[in-house]
Amino acid sequence: MESASTPSTLMELKTRRQIFKPQISTLDTRRRQAVCVRRAFKKYGSKNNPHIVLDGLNMTVPKGVIYGLLGASGCGKTTLLSCIVGRRRLNSGEIWVLGGRPGSKGSGVPGPRVGYMPQEIALYGEFSIRETFIYFGWCAGMTTEQVDDKLIFLLKFLQLPSENRFVKNLSGGQQRRVSLAAAILADPELLILDEPTVGVDPILRQSIWDYLVQMTKDGNKTIIITTHYIEETRQANIIGLMRNGKFLAEESPSKLMEMHRLDTLEEVFLKLSKRQNLGLRRRSSILSSITGVPPENSNDVDEMSGEFGDNVSISSRRKSVIIVDDGNLPGLPPEEEGDSSKYSVINLKHMKALIWKNFLWMWRNVGIMMFIFGLPVGQIILFCLSIGKDPMGLKLAIVNNELNNSMQPCIPGTGCGGSGLSCRYLEHLQRKTLRLLPYDSEDEARNAVTKGWAWGAITFPSNYSDALMARVNNGRDTADWDVDFSEMKIVLDMSNQQIGQLLQRDLLYAYQDFAREVTVACNYSDKVTSIPINFKTPVYGPQDPNFTDFAAPGIILTILFFLSVALTSGSMLLERNEGLLERSLVSGLTGTEILFGQVITQFIVVLGQCTMVLVVAFAIFNITCEGDIGWISLLNILTGVCGMSFGFVIAIICDNERSATYMAMGSFLPIVMLCGIIWPIEGMHPILKCISFLLPLTKSTESLRAMLARGWTITEPTVYYGFIATFLWISVFMSLSILLLKFKKG
């Protein structure tokens, strides 16, 4: 094995846990040893510690070789590769790749200097083979002509079908070959292949290995390959046998078999595994003798597993790992420390690839995009058809004692007075689209209300008409019995506030129309029987306001906001969970570039959704709109962008679609209830009112309501406060997204 300081070394990864060897001689010594053990467990964790520990690793990859990283599933191969390409953090220790730290400025790692094939297929199924190559080629800085030139060779070499075949229509083995082709497309200096030959037939597997050997012959290419097939790595220059997060051995295949006097690499691996188990049992017995407590399973501590983004502890005596390139020893310049994304700017070639990829995905998923555009339209249609309209066909039980029986036709009279005033009132009441059910007695009518067969009951006295006319003619001299018998008795079911209040309104309005008709027929002024209050034309809004106009602004903004949340969080989580986001980041894209690429494409979607919602709401359903449609549209678009930004935050924080759905649903009801969408803020508890002003849709709902109902312009504080609040929330969400991308990898 070559020294880490020699020019031919490309990479050295050394870690070692410092666990002392106890020598029990005195009580004080035992106490000091017990303290050290407790500190070791505290630092390196137990099976419940979320940190991943790479223990005892000593990995050296000379330049221009094929390095085979071998081990069973779960031993830590993929985790180690993630460290090499800079996609996992280290608690301690250092990694140097190609002359720099992975993730440092100018290192090219992640970037085009490294080709990476993950375990997952990590390809866009809706893309053709050529389109897949174009995307990854553009990410690596290649031109379309260069991609097409390389495409011809890769199709022939990997025995792939036509370049126009979609990835989703390929077999599993063909998809893995396309994934391999995407990794070697840009001719990288360091090629990292994670299980590239799984599902590939033996003949093609040998062909791939021959090509990999050919790539390293000139000494300018280095390949790290992981595989389950131990024997196929005989063609590798060096292999590292890995188990439970530790290296068992690192040497050339032939020398390993010669050293251990065995005929196959599998036998060598089995022998070394048994030796490792013996050492673990010996160490466990030492720890148990010191602490007096049976130790946890050592494999739990050393197992390299967990979700992407977990911290990895690398402990070594030197606390450093050096990677040299062409004989240049690396320094530790301050400007190279940290994540390269801290210094990166938007790369126009990367943005071109991202925007092209996003729009191509939309074009290939026409059904999904039609649903995305049609969903807000369907929701606003449902709102306009179902919310704010007066109830129809409400039933009222009628007991008219002026009639001989309930089945007798109720004939309204004409002119001044008469015996059919109750029937004249009921005629006006029927014009309010109410259904009148005749009953014989007041008890029967009340029982109908009790049973839920009717929403209310009205009882007319037997001499109602005569008593009412006496009250009109005599005025203040009306006898008490005439006053009593001129009243109709009404009992209502007020369990439903909206229906109860609407019935009260209809009963009152119908009586006002009836009284006006009678007084005019008797040559009295129609004001005699009117309440001495004159409601003039309102300053804003109609004489009879409806709930649709009140709720529409909040409902429109809520639809645009939460559909944008679902759209953006869903698209980013889909890419991350399928490995597409990870592969793009390793290819050199930054989290900020991916974020802004999504912003640009999703903005077009939000713009289309907003346009269709406003057309349906104002042009088809004639929702009141007194303000400038330009400012109204702008506020709706900004609200959609605000929801999109919130969706990015959810996608970055959450690890899967389920937790993202819970988070979005958890925020939906508080926003709907506290932002003045379905009830005025003035009716809330003072504490909730203060919280309401801090939510993203409160000020924008007030602003839109002021523009729609009052026709106010942007010069009014209520209006521009909504724009300012929306801009602030967009800034907060986008800044939070960028910060989370910086500090939470993956």
Side-chain angles (χ1 to χ4, degrees):
M1 185 181 306
E2 299 185 23
S3 171
S5 61
T6 59
S8 61
T9 303
L10 176 66
M11 182 178 61
E12 178 182 339
L13 179 60
K14 294 184 177 181
T15 66
R16 181 178 181 272
R17 180 183 301 174
Q18 300 177 6
I19 297 181
F20 65 95
K21 297 181 179 179
Q23 297 178 354
I24 303 174
S25 57
T26 66
L27 181 61
D28 292 337
T29 303
R30 289 173 60 90
R31 287 175 178 172
R32 287 196 299 269
Q33 292 168 343
V35 170
C36 292
V37 171
R38 286 196 296 270
R39 288 176 179 174
F41 273 101
K42 181 178 180 181
K43 180 175 181 180
Y44 298 108
S46 62
K47 65 180 180 180
N48 296 320
N49 194 329
H51 297 296
I52 299 171
V53 179
L54 309 184
D55 185 20
L57 292 182
N58 188 346
M59 178 178 176
T60 303
V61 182
K63 186 176 181 180
V65 302
I66 299 178
Y67 188 101
L69 187 58
L70 310 180
S73 297
C75 72
K77 301 188 300 297
T78 301
T79 303
L80 180 58
L81 296 184
S82 297
C83 295
I84 294 173
V85 298
R87 295 307 305 152
R88 281 187 185 267
R89 298 188 184 96
L90 305 178
N91 281 346
S92 61
E94 294 176 343
I95 294 180
W96 291 82
V97 178
L98 300 178
R101 290 180 180 176
S104 63
K105 184 179 180 181
S107 67
V109 183
R113 299 182 71 186
V114 176
Y116 179 60
M117 176 186 174
Q119 280 185 337
E120 305 87 359
I121 299 298
L123 299 174
Y124 293 93
E126 297 81 5
F127 290 9
S128 67
I129 297 177
R130 180 176 181 272
E131 290 165 347
T132 301
F133 286 4
I134 288 176
Y135 171 66
F136 287 107
W138 284 357
C139 290
M142 300 174 66
T143 64
T144 306
E145 292 75 15
Q146 291 173 329
V147 172
D148 288 334
D149 292 341
K150 202 68 177 290
L151 173 66
I152 299 174
F153 163 74
L154 291 174
L155 290 177
K156 182 177 180 181
F157 164 63
L158 294 173
Q159 301 177 20
L160 294 172
S162 169
E163 64 184 44
N164 297 319
R165 283 278 295 275
F166 291 121
V167 172
K168 63 182 179 182
N169 295 330
L170 301 177
S171 66
Q174 290 174 329
Q175 289 179 350
R176 293 201 65 82
R177 279 178 268 162
V178 174
S179 181
L180 172 61
I184 64 180
L185 178 66
D187 200 23
E189 300 175 47
L190 175 62
L191 187 61
I192 298 178
L193 308 177
D194 198 356
E195 308 284 356
T197 56
V198 172
V200 178
D201 65 85
I203 297 178
L204 183 57
R205 184 187 307 163
Q206 184 59 45
S207 177
I208 292 174
W209 270 97
D210 292 341
Y211 177 70
L212 296 179
V213 172
Q214 183 66 31
M215 287 179 63
T216 59
K217 277 189 175 181
D218 58 2
N220 292 325
K221 301 291 186 299
T222 303
I223 300 173
I224 301 177
I225 183 171
T226 69
T227 179
H228 287 119
Y229 309 115
I230 296 180
E231 291 302 321
E232 77 173 357
T233 57
R234 287 175 178 264
Q235 300 181 74
N237 303 97
I238 299 177
I239 61 173
L241 301 179
M242 194 172 184
R243 185 169 181 264
N244 293 334
K246 302 177 182 178
F247 268 112
L248 303 178
E250 184 185 48
E251 193 52 81
S252 66
S254 58
K255 193 169 183 178
L256 269 178
M257 291 184 290
E258 179 182 350
M259 290 170 54
H260 295 279
R261 300 177 182 179
L262 295 172
D263 297 329
T264 65
L265 291 175
E266 289 186 359
E267 292 175 333
V268 173
F269 185 78
L270 180 60
K271 179 180 179 180
L272 293 175
S273 298
K274 292 179 178 178
R275 182 182 299 174
Q276 183 194 42
N277 289 340
L278 180 61
L280 289 176
R281 287 195 296 269
R282 186 175 301 165
R283 185 177 66 179
S284 298
S285 63
I286 294 174
L287 293 175
S288 179
S289 65
I290 297 174
T291 62
V293 179
E296 302 283 354
N297 186 1
S298 299
N299 292 344
D300 292 334
V301 179
D302 299 324
E303 185 70 23
M304 295 172 61
S305 60
E307 295 294 332
F308 180 82
D310 291 340
N311 292 334
V312 181
S313 296
I314 296 186
S315 63
S316 73
R317 181 172 297 145
R318 296 186 309 149
K319 295 291 183 181
S320 65
V321 176
I322 300 176
I323 296 177
V324 292
D325 185 15
D326 295 330
N328 297 321
L329 289 174
L332 295 173
E335 67 273 12
E336 290 189 359
E337 296 199 15
D339 196 330
S340 63
S341 58
K342 296 180 180 178
Y343 306 91
S344 63
V345 294
I346 299 297
N347 187 310
L348 296 181
K349 292 182 179 179
H350 291 172
M351 294 303 299
K352 172 186 175 183
L354 287 168
I355 295 173
W356 175 81
K357 179 261 296 181
N358 292 338
F359 278 114
L360 181 60
W361 186 91
M362 292 180 184
W363 179 256
R364 291 287 162 75
N365 292 272
V366 178
I368 295 177
M369 296 309 300
M370 290 180 63
F371 176 78
I372 290 173
F373 281 104
L375 185 58
V377 175
Q379 290 179 336
I380 195 65
I381 290 175
L382 289 176
F383 165 75
C384 293
L385 292 177
S386 59
I387 304 297
K389 306 299 181 185
D390 289 345
M392 307 285 288
L394 297 179
K395 298 177 181 179
L396 285 178
I398 306 298
V399 179
N400 194 345
N401 292 317
E402 285 197 307
L403 304 178
N404 294 329
N405 59 73
S406 61
M407 302 308 296
Q408 178 181 346
C410 190
I411 301 174
T414 58
C416 179
S419 60
L421 293 183
S422 59
C423 294
R424 291 174 73 172
Y425 172 71
L426 293 177
E427 183 183 35
H428 283 278
L429 198 58
Q430 283 182 310
R431 296 173 187 173
K432 303 297 183 181
T433 67
L434 299 176
R435 290 184 60 188
L436 308 181
L437 305 178
Y439 284 86
D440 291 325
S441 66
E442 185 176 352
D443 291 338
E444 291 180 358
R446 189 180 184 90
N447 182 64
V449 178
T450 303
K451 295 295 186 181
W453 301 336
W455 285 99
I458 304 176
T459 302
F460 293 94
S462 58
N463 56 344
Y464 175 75
S465 297
D466 295 337
L468 183 60
M469 288 309 301
R471 187 170 181 175
V472 172
N473 293 326
N474 298 330
R476 60 184 297 178
D477 297 328
T478 304
D480 291 341
W481 56 82
D482 286 332
V483 173
D484 293 337
F485 284 103
S486 63
E487 292 180 350
M488 66 181 78
K489 297 178 181 179
I490 301 175
V491 59
L492 296 176
D493 177 2
M494 295 296 292
S495 60
N496 187 308
Q497 183 191 35
Q498 293 295 325
I499 290 180
Q501 290 181 347
L502 288 173
L503 279 175
Q504 288 179 333
R505 183 199 66 180
D506 289 344
L507 291 170
L508 178 61
Y509 286 176
Y511 193 85
Q512 288 178 342
D513 295 339
F514 157 72
R516 187 181 301 110
E517 177 185 292
V518 173
T519 53
V520 170
C522 294
N523 295 322
Y524 291 105
S525 172
D526 58 355
K527 295 183 179 180
V528 172
T529 54
S530 300
I531 299 175
I533 299 176
N534 187 5
F535 286 99
K536 297 293 186 179
T537 302
V539 178
Y540 300 112
Q543 188 77 37
D544 297 321
N546 59 78
F547 188 76
T548 303
D549 287 339
F550 170 79
I555 294 297
I556 292 174
L557 295 180
T558 302
I559 290 173
L560 294 175
F561 182 86
F562 279 101
L563 283 182
S564 299
V565 170
L567 177 62
T568 54
S569 61
S571 61
M572 290 199 68
L573 282 171
L574 177 65
E575 289 198 2
R576 187 174 73 179
N577 293 339
E578 292 187 359
L580 298 168
L581 180 61
E582 170 75 0
R583 188 163 194 168
S584 297
L585 290 170
V586 174
S587 67
L589 301 180
T590 65
T592 305
E593 290 171 344
I594 293 175
L595 182 64
F596 280 102
Q598 288 284 348
V599 167
I600 293 173
T601 51
Q602 301 300 343
F603 176 79
I604 303 301
V605 176
V606 170
L607 186 63
Q609 289 178 330
C610 176
T611 301
M612 297 181 69
V613 166
L614 296 183
V615 168
V616 171
F618 300 137
I620 298 179
F621 288 97
N622 297 317
I623 291 178
T624 301
C625 179
E626 302 292 341
D628 188 339
I629 192 64
W631 290 112
I632 292 171
S633 301
L634 179 59
L635 182 59
N636 281 274
I637 293 172
L638 290 176
T639 302
V641 174
C642 185
M644 178 175 60
S645 305
F646 183 45
F648 291 141
V649 175
I650 291 178
I652 297 171
I653 292 177
C654 300
D655 295 326
N656 50 61
E657 290 86 349
R658 177 183 297 177
S659 57
T661 301
Y662 290 160
M663 188 171 180
M665 290 176 60
S667 62
F668 175 78
L669 282 179
I671 288 179
V672 170
M673 291 188 294
L674 298 179
C675 289
I677 294 172
I678 60 176
W679 198 257
I681 297 176
E682 291 77 6
M684 297 181 186
H685 189 277
I687 296 179
L688 292 179
K689 189 183 299 185
C690 296
I691 297 175
S692 174
F693 289 127
L694 301 177
L695 296 178
L697 294 186
T698 302
K699 288 298 182 181
S700 58
T701 299
E702 292 180 0
S703 176
L704 184 58
R705 189 170 288 145
M707 288 189 288
L708 292 181
R710 299 171 180 172
W712 284 0
T713 62
I714 193 66
T715 59
E716 297 292 334
T718 302
V719 176
Y720 64 69
Y721 284 166
F723 284 87
I724 293 174
T726 306
F727 273 117
L728 288 176
W729 274 108
I730 292 174
S731 302
V732 169
F733 287 141
M734 292 300 294
S735 301
L736 188 58
S737 300
I738 294 174
L739 289 175
L740 288 172
L741 284 171
K742 301 287 186 183
F743 296 106
K744 182 182 179 183
K745 295 192 174 184

